[in-house]
Amino acid sequence: MELDLEMSSPTVLLQAFWEHILHTQCTSSKKSVYVLLLFVCLVSFVCSSIAEKDVARTDRTHPRFADDDSIYLVRLSDILTTYCFYNFDLGYVQGMSDLCAPVLDILGDEVESFWCFAGFLDVVEENFSEDQESMRQQLLTLQAMLKVVDPQMSDYLAAQDSDNLYFCFRWLLVFFKRELTFEETMRLWEVFWSNHLTPHFHLFFALAVLLQSKDVIVKDKKDFNDIVKYVNELSGNIDLEQTLVDAEVLCLRFMAGRPMLPDIVSKLLPEEQLSDLQKALLSESIELRGYTCVADGSAVLSASDP
């Protein structure tokens, strides 16, 4: 997509940005491939019934997808059905419609949306694997991160048989899509895609949400069922901007204390040292929260709030 930056509308610029950050460009040959794939899928009915069930309940409160005869519902179904044939080994897995809908909303065009969605899935495909090993590893890593930064909360969850953090599964699978508004989701995904500080920033965002929930979960002594109920009711109640700030501070704190971290956590972080600006931001954050920072970074990691 060639752009005149001065003449292009914000919508066109945003479309180009999503195509760029997902490393996709819809060429004429790709358009032909998509049409062929869609034709084969429609003739063979590959995965159509499975995908259509999810399409029927995806983002129906959003103007694009609200009407039963919405062309966007048709496009969403076509894209997901075509992806089944495009990536036949993986096929369609529940949750993919949540990832596809924002892409379609931004790009509008069915073919361009398909290739951007395919680019997105190239990055997160392992999340949808049948053995769920990638999701298991992410939850184990998040568990280790919580134990480092807040042992009290970690121990409390363990006492409630909740330390496996399965209640966070949906967060990581669809990148908080069901916890945030449509617009907030797109804002958050752009931060994740930018690989800000680390390609694993979504785990620090999840950690920030957990720590924000400590008072409700620990001080109110919620049991296993109450924890699951509380987390499910977080939808629409996460302060995106504050949580992004908290996640960034957490990441900087972990970077400052990197030599002390277990391997499962340290591998999330870049090898380089904190820059002077990052040190200043971290020191300011610690000072504002009343922490004492020592040279080896231990106080940075032991503080219980982000």
Side-chain angles (χ1 to χ4, degrees):
M1 182 182 293
E2 296 183 2
L3 295 175
D4 183 330
L5 295 180
E6 293 184 358
M7 299 298 294
S8 297
S9 68
T11 299
V12 171
L13 291 174
L14 186 58
Q15 291 171 345
F17 172 72
W18 277 46
E19 288 185 341
H20 172 74
I21 205 165
L22 291 173
H23 307 291
T24 59
Q25 186 174 7
C26 189
T27 62
S28 57
S29 62
K30 283 188 173 182
K31 291 181 179 180
S32 299
V33 170
Y34 176 78
V35 172
L36 178 59
L37 286 171
L38 177 59
F39 174 76
V40 172
C41 289
L42 293 177
V43 171
S44 59
F45 300 102
V46 176
C47 301
S48 59
S49 61
I50 303 174
E52 285 174 2
K53 288 181 181 178
D54 274 357
V55 168
R57 55 192 179 210
T58 299
D59 294 310
R60 297 307 301 274
T61 59
H62 189 279
R64 296 272 204 206
F65 307 100
D67 296 334
D68 289 337
D69 58 353
S70 168
I71 186 62
Y72 283 89
L73 286 178
V74 176
R75 291 173 182 172
L76 182 60
S77 178
D78 286 350
I79 291 170
L80 295 173
T81 301
T82 304
Y83 187 80
C84 288
F85 198 82
Y86 173 74
N87 190 346
F88 199 78
D89 290 336
L90 180 62
Y92 176 80
V93 181
Q94 189 173 27
M96 288 183 178
S97 61
D98 284 293
L99 301 186
C100 187
V103 175
L104 179 58
D105 177 60
I106 288 292
L107 296 177
D109 180 79
E110 182 176 322
V111 181
E112 291 180 353
S113 297
F114 171 80
W115 289 111
C116 274
F117 172 67
F120 191 1
L121 263 292
D122 284 346
V123 178
V124 301
E125 177 179 338
E126 290 185 356
N127 288 0
F128 295 94
S129 64
E130 187 174 359
D131 63 12
Q132 296 188 335
E133 179 62 21
S134 175
M135 294 299 299
R136 189 181 73 86
Q137 286 298 322
Q138 290 181 68
L139 290 172
L140 285 173
T141 302
L142 184 58
Q143 181 183 13
M145 294 166 69
L146 180 62
K147 190 170 184 177
V148 166
V149 80
D150 197 327
Q152 181 191 17
M153 186 175 186
S154 178
D155 290 344
Y156 180 82
L157 291 176
Q160 306 305 316
D161 293 325
S162 299
D163 57 326
N164 52 30
L165 302 183
Y166 283 165
F167 55 84
C168 301
F169 186 93
R170 186 176 74 184
W171 296 357
L172 305 181
L173 181 68
V174 296
F175 298 99
F176 292 88
K177 165 69 163 38
R178 299 186 188 178
E179 277 60 49
L180 302 170
T181 67
F182 216 75
E183 291 70 23
E184 287 174 334
T185 297
M186 292 186 285
R187 160 98 166 98
L188 180 63
W189 287 3
E190 288 169 2
V191 174
F192 290 165
W193 292 339
S194 72
N195 290 336
H196 178 57
L197 296 179
T198 168
H200 309 282
F201 192 71
H202 65 291
L203 292 177
F204 289 93
F205 188 88
L207 181 61
V209 176
L210 280 174
L211 294 175
Q212 290 171 359
S213 304
K214 179 180 179 179
D215 283 352
V216 175
I217 293 176
V218 178
K219 291 186 179 179
D220 291 355
K221 298 181 179 179
K222 291 191 178 296
D223 60 19
F224 176 87
N225 292 326
D226 289 336
I227 292 170
V228 173
K229 182 176 183 293
Y230 169 74
V231 169
N232 286 337
E233 292 174 350
L234 277 177
S235 180
N237 295 303
I238 295 175
D239 184 333
L240 175 61
E241 297 305 323
Q242 184 57 56
T243 307
L244 282 171
V245 171
D246 290 350
E248 182 175 37
V249 171
L250 281 166
C251 191
L252 292 174
R253 281 165 56 186
F254 274 72
M255 289 169 67
R258 194 175 191 276
M260 305 159 51
L261 298 174
D263 290 344
I264 194 173
V265 177
S266 64
K267 69 181 182 181
L268 304 177
L269 303 166
E271 294 286 347
E272 60 265 21
Q273 300 296 315
L274 291 179
S275 68
D276 290 339
L277 176 59
Q278 289 172 335
K279 289 178 181 178
L281 290 172
L282 182 57
S283 297
E284 180 181 358
S285 171
I286 291 171
E287 183 178 350
L288 286 173
R289 289 163 171 78
Y291 303 152
T292 301
C293 182
V294 296
D296 65 0
S298 58
V300 177
L301 289 174
S302 64
S304 62
D305 297 315

